[in-house]
Amino acid sequence: NPVNLYEFFGGLGQMEDNLLSPSDYFPKLDELVGRLKQKADGIFPNAGLQNVILDADLAGILAHEAIGHTTEADLVLGGSVAGDLMGQEVVSPLITLIDYANTYAGKTCPVPVYVDDEGTPSKDTVIIKDGVLKSFMHNKESAQHFETQPDGNARAYAFSDEPLIRMRNTAFVPGTSSLDEMISSIDDGYYLTKSSNGQADSTSEFMFGIAMGYEIKNGKIGRAIKETTISGIAFDVLKTVDMISEEMSWSAGGMCGKKQWIPVGMGGPAIKCKVNIGGR
């Protein structure tokens, strides 16, 4: 069967800001080919609940798809699982989740929003703080309903579109562990690095395709694995997080398809947790 692997290249700005010299990407393409060869010779993972490290790419998708959408106030009003959880500890105390408006650690985020499409100045929204659900994301209407203030999450794709409650740059806050320490802490598990596709719903139940990953044996990276899936209830999975890496990595950005396609930023640190993984 054909084996494939892809990578997005790009970033903030125009094409000429990121792709002026294609040769700059040759080393990354060589690395991609190397990983593709590893994947072609890969093994099937053992199915079931496993100790895993989700690298930044997957942690970012989990933050956006499986947690972020459940805390958008219009979906909360529509019956999202997060609606009854405000003020409660919903995930590991190690987890803080923020929807960044435009800046992280003094640097511009992948999709900076300074004023939203209702004219609200944008501020960071701290969704989860030390494991406790602290805030939903709002437009002016939902903020009035919940008797709070909007932080600039009303976004529209085009001038003729209705502004909807949308994320901007959603990520877990980095922790204190190195990736090497996280890998060393696992005797038998997996290091999952790239997703292929996926879906989640308002219960935070998710299933994501895994395009690239490796086994971990006795605290060391082993063989690559073949394509598989991970699944679970995001709030439950995040209760098992016991290590978070100290490095933040943003993706080049993607498009979220909630009624209107719109660019969003995703990323984060790597997280160590337990999740159901598919096998042969």
Side-chain angles (χ1 to χ4, degrees), residues 155-212:
R155 303 178 62 202
Y157 180 72
F159 76 93
S160 55
D161 290 325
E162 174 192 4
L164 303 174
I165 299 171
R166 308 300 294 268
M167 284 172 269
R168 298 157 303 183
N169 305 275
T170 314
F172 299 120
V173 174
T176 58
S177 301
S178 71
L179 184 58
D180 286 342
E181 289 170 341
M182 295 168 69
I183 293 169
S184 297
S185 72
I186 295 179
D187 289 329
D188 187 15
Y190 298 94
Y191 174 42
L192 308 177
T193 61
K194 286 293 175 187
S195 67
S196 55
N197 51 48
Q199 61 186 41
D201 62 26
S202 60
T203 67
S204 89
E205 186 174 5
F206 69 90
M207 177 178 283
F208 298 147
I210 302 299
M212 191 73 210

Side-chain angles (χ1 to χ4, degrees), residues 38-253:
Q38 293 173 343
K39 180 178 174 180
D41 295 329
I43 60 169
F44 288 101
N46 294 319
L49 188 65
Q50 303 286 352
N51 289 305
V52 303
I53 295 170
L54 303 180
D55 209 12
D57 182 71
L58 278 152
I61 291 173
L62 186 67
H64 175 99
E65 292 288 354
I67 299 294
H69 280 305
T70 70
T71 59
E72 292 171 327
D74 52 348
L75 298 186
V76 171
L77 291 170
S80 156
V81 67
D84 296 326
L85 301 177
M86 182 61 70
Q88 298 181 36
E89 185 172 288
V90 292
V91 294
S92 163
L94 296 178
I95 293 283
T96 293
L97 175 64
I98 297 178
D99 183 57
Y100 293 96
N102 46 61
T103 307
Y104 169 79
K107 295 183 179 180
T108 304
C109 292
V111 182
V113 176
Y114 296 94
V115 178
D116 78 1
D117 293 318
E118 290 183 333
T120 301
S122 295
K123 299 183 295 183
D124 295 347
T125 302
V126 180
I127 300 168
I128 294 173
K129 174 71 172 175
D130 299 331
V132 176
L133 182 61
K134 290 290 189 181
S135 180
F136 300 137
M137 289 171 280
H138 293 285
N139 59 11
K140 287 182 176 179
E141 182 181 6
S142 71
Q144 185 176 29
H145 175 87
F146 284 97
E147 299 181 346
T148 187
Q149 296 297 315
D151 288 336
N153 285 96
R155 303 178 62 202
Y157 180 72
F159 76 93
S160 55
D161 290 325
E162 174 192 4
L164 303 174
I165 299 171
R166 308 300 294 268
M167 284 172 269
R168 298 157 303 183
N169 305 275
T170 314
F172 299 120
V173 174
T176 58
S177 301
S178 71
L179 184 58
D180 286 342
E181 289 170 341
M182 295 168 69
I183 293 169
S184 297
S185 72
I186 295 179
D187 289 329
D188 187 15
Y190 298 94
Y191 174 42
L192 308 177
T193 61
K194 286 293 175 187
S195 67
S196 55
N197 51 48
Q199 61 186 41
D201 62 26
S202 60
T203 67
S204 89
E205 186 174 5
F206 69 90
M207 177 178 283
F208 298 147
I210 302 299
M212 191 73 210
Y214 298 87
E215 63 177 356
I216 300 175
K217 294 292 185 183
N218 301 316
K220 297 184 182 299
I221 295 291
R223 296 166 292 180
I225 62 172
K226 295 186 181 297
E227 290 206 10
T228 185
T229 59
I230 57 172
S231 61
I233 305 293
F235 283 109
D236 292 341
V237 169
L238 292 175
K239 287 174 183 172
T240 70
V241 170
D242 58 7
M243 297 180 85
I244 302 177
S245 76
E246 57 198 358
E247 294 183 356
M248 170 70 88
S249 175
W250 292 104
S251 72

